[in-house]
Amino acid sequence: MRRTQVGIVGAGPAGLMLGHLLHLRGIDSVILEVRGREYVIDRVRAGVLEQGTVDLLRGSGVGDRVLREGMRHEGIYLAFNGRRHRIDMTALTGGRAITIYGQNEVVKDLIEARVATGRPLHFEVGDVAPHGFEGDAPALRFTVDGEPHEVACDFIAGCDGFHGVCRSAAGNDLRVYEREYPFGWLGILAKAAPSSSELVYSNHERGFALFSMRSPAVTRLYLQCAPDEDLAEWPDERIWAELQARLQTDDGWHPNEGEILQKGVTGMRSFVAEPMRYHRLLLAGDAAHIVPPTGAKGLNLAMADVSRLASALAAFYETGSMRLLDEYSDRGLRRTWRAQRFSWWMTTMLHRVPGETPFDYRRQLAELDYLVSSRAAMTSLAENYVGTPFE
Ligand SMILES: Cc1cc2nc3c(=O)[nH]c(=O)nc-3n(C[C@H](O)[C@H](O)[C@H](O)COP(=O)(O)OP(=O)(O)OC[C@H]3O[C@@H](n4cnc5c(N)ncnc54)[C@H](O)[C@@H]3O)c2cc1C
């Protein structure tokens, strides 16, 4: 049977970054991924990196491309009642900013770095099953082309996303906190130059919309829709008409249109599993928590988790001390719940809720009006949006 120090399940941003940080500290790991390499690289998801994520990429030697190609944004717009209002995040946070750089680009950079180390990264494995983590002999069993394999390890890192196997392996000892939202996002990627250099979050009476981008030539746009919206009912012309209706403002600003390269519907959920550590099984990223994407926190929380986890594992291997591993869950949950609160707040402030009353909508508009006219309120938004430094 093969042996490693840390068995990592999942080659999303959390698993790949954890493997990379462990490698830099001389700690061996095996990464197992159920999907194929191309699938993992092509998966279009998040695109807003907190300063802490960019600092982590740069500090660990995988930041060249994000620094070269990422787009630093110092503000965002909130649009309502036909007007756009800029929140100057950098001025309000003493110089912090976000960077627009696709999650798939982060994943591509991390896969390249992993391959260069020669440490194992297995795609298209099957039947991954964590074992023995309640005692001192954890192991990962899995199959490759139907053949059974096993890797013995000291710890198992469950970085296998919301639908993975690691969280459920911890069984009934996890406590789950959950909220599903009665709406989702219809997202498109379009071959169109962004018509605004910064993101625009719009609360429109027809529903929420978000203007975003991935590069100087590609725009990323979202529309609030039903959680089970049928894409077949959304030909390109209807998508553009709805986006224009919800995003255009009285000063004539509107998104540029172009060929739609990709479209999809995502449901919205808030979810936390506590604790994040179960004996020698450690959960990180979406395996432990999900946030609605309005606050742009999912990818960044995953990065904060693995940054803390890598330090805790390094301390264990250097000194034999379990102290940081013992603290891993409590410290992570503190950051997670703050991100949950912020993501819930952004979501409820900006979306139209089915069955809401006219009172509810007027209250939302009043909240937005207060927000853009109060330096204190804008500072609160900006601090949360750019994120606090990673521990
Ligand atoms: C459809 C979608 C759209 C999103 N859009 C946005 C967005 O617009 N903005 C935003 O901020 N956030 C968005 N998010 C959230 C963000 O992408 C996640 O928070 C982020 O991917 C978390 O990284 P992760 O590594 O923890 O999990 P994941 O990226 O989910 O990675 C987990 C990996 O584990 C693999 N895996 C699963 N099960 C197994 C198994 N049994 N064995 C081995 N491997 C397994 C998966 O294939 C995957 O590669 C989106 C998420 C989804 C699902």
Side-chain angles (χ1 to χ4, degrees):
M1 193 195 325
R2 232 207 91 112
R3 231 207 112 67
T4 188
Q5 288 170 295
V6 182
I8 300 175
V9 186
L16 289 165
M17 184 48 120
L18 179 62
H20 181 63
L21 295 173
L22 293 177
H23 164 75
L24 294 179
R25 289 159 160 108
I27 300 169
D28 191 40
S29 65
V30 169
I31 305 179
L32 302 178
E33 166 61 47
V34 71
R35 301 285 192 168
R37 180 181 171 140
E38 297 313 315
Y39 182 93
V40 169
I41 289 177
D42 290 343
R43 210 162 29 190
V44 176
R45 288 187 172 176
V48 175
L49 307 189
E50 286 180 9
Q51 177 106 36
T53 297
V54 175
D55 292 345
L56 183 67
L57 292 166
R58 191 181 49 195
S60 60
V62 282
D64 286 0
R65 213 157 63 89
V66 67
L67 292 179
R68 211 172 50 242
E69 296 175 22
M71 295 180 278
R72 179 181 154 93
H73 283 197
E74 300 193 341
I76 56 170
Y77 288 96
L78 295 179
F80 58 97
N81 284 338
R83 291 187 56 201
R84 278 188 300 160
H85 305 261
R86 185 167 187 267
I87 312 281
D88 189 338
M89 297 187 301
T90 299
L92 292 163
T93 59
R96 294 177 73 77
I98 54 160
T99 298
I100 303 299
Y101 189 68
Q103 175 170 330
N104 53 322
E105 305 298 340
V106 173
V107 164
K108 199 196 263 178
D109 296 343
L110 288 171
I111 289 178
E112 209 168 277
R114 177 73 180 186
V115 169
T117 67
R119 294 198 194 266
L121 164 57
H122 300 294
F123 290 100
E124 295 184 52
V125 301
D127 310 315
V128 178
H131 281 272
F133 49 83
E134 290 172 334
D136 287 338
L140 286 173
R141 294 186 190 144
F142 59 102
T143 57
V144 178
D145 295 331
E147 290 292 314
H149 291 260
E150 185 164 337
V151 182
C153 43
D154 302 325
F155 296 95
I156 294 173
C159 302
D160 49 347
F162 185 66
H163 299 288
V165 291
C166 290
R167 191 180 62 250
S168 45
N172 297 329
D173 289 303
L174 293 181
R175 188 179 296 173
V176 161
Y177 301 87
E178 192 168 17
R179 167 190 282 256
E180 279 198 41
Y181 297 84
F183 41 77
W185 280 9
L186 192 166
I188 64 161
L189 208 56
K191 204 168 160 187
S195 59
S196 160
S197 56
E198 293 175 335
L199 272 59
V200 183
Y201 285 82
S202 172
N203 179 328
H204 190 272
E205 57 186 0
R206 298 176 68 88
F208 169 78
L210 171 61
F211 171 92
S212 175
M213 66 289 289
R214 284 294 183 271
S215 74
V218 176
T219 305
R220 177 93 168 130
L221 297 139
Y222 300 93
L223 283 172
Q224 176 183 350
C225 63
D228 56 352
E229 193 77 46
D230 181 4
L231 268 180
E233 291 179 18
W234 286 86
D236 294 1
E237 310 72 54
R238 182 177 174 207
I239 292 176
W240 284 118
E242 196 60 34
L243 282 167
Q244 297 294 0
R246 294 189 197 184
L247 283 167
Q248 67 188 350
T249 41
D250 295 346
D251 58 4
W253 178 80
H254 62 86
N256 289 334
E257 297 187 14
E259 181 193 350
I260 296 183
L261 305 170
Q262 194 258 1
K263 50 180 147 174
V265 171
T266 317
M268 298 257 238
R269 181 195 300 269
S270 302
F271 176 94
V272 183
E274 295 187 359
M276 294 171 69
R277 174 178 163 213
Y278 186 69
H279 302 279
R280 284 177 174 252
L281 171 65
L282 299 125
L283 300 177
D286 277 17
H289 39 67
I290 294 281
V291 282
T294 328
K297 291 283 162 236
L299 170 60
N300 296 298
L301 270 182
M303 290 296 188
D305 284 349
V306 295
S307 166
R308 213 174 48 257
L309 182 51
S311 300
L313 289 164
F316 170 79
Y317 284 112
E318 279 159 24
T319 67
S321 165
M322 291 289 281
R323 189 178 62 83
L324 290 182
L325 284 168
D326 289 341
E327 291 174 4
Y328 169 71
S329 178
D330 284 352
R331 288 164 70 172
L333 287 171
R334 187 158 177 247
R335 188 178 189 100
T336 299
W337 276 109
R338 284 169 64 161
Q340 289 289 357
R341 200 277 316 163
F342 176 67
S343 303
W344 164 86
W345 173 70
M346 287 283 280
T347 302
T348 49
M349 178 173 67
L350 289 166
H351 289 74
R352 306 297 310 273
V353 181
E356 70 179 14
T357 63
F359 176 90
D360 296 322
Y361 186 46
R362 306 293 285 181
R363 185 196 52 72
Q364 274 184 332
L365 295 177
E367 181 164 11
L368 284 160
D369 186 36
Y370 165 67
L371 177 55
V372 300
S373 54
S374 157
R375 188 176 173 86
M378 283 190 285
T379 303
S380 170
L381 186 155
E383 279 177 356
N384 281 280
Y385 199 86
V386 299
T388 48
F390 292 0
E391 293 172 38

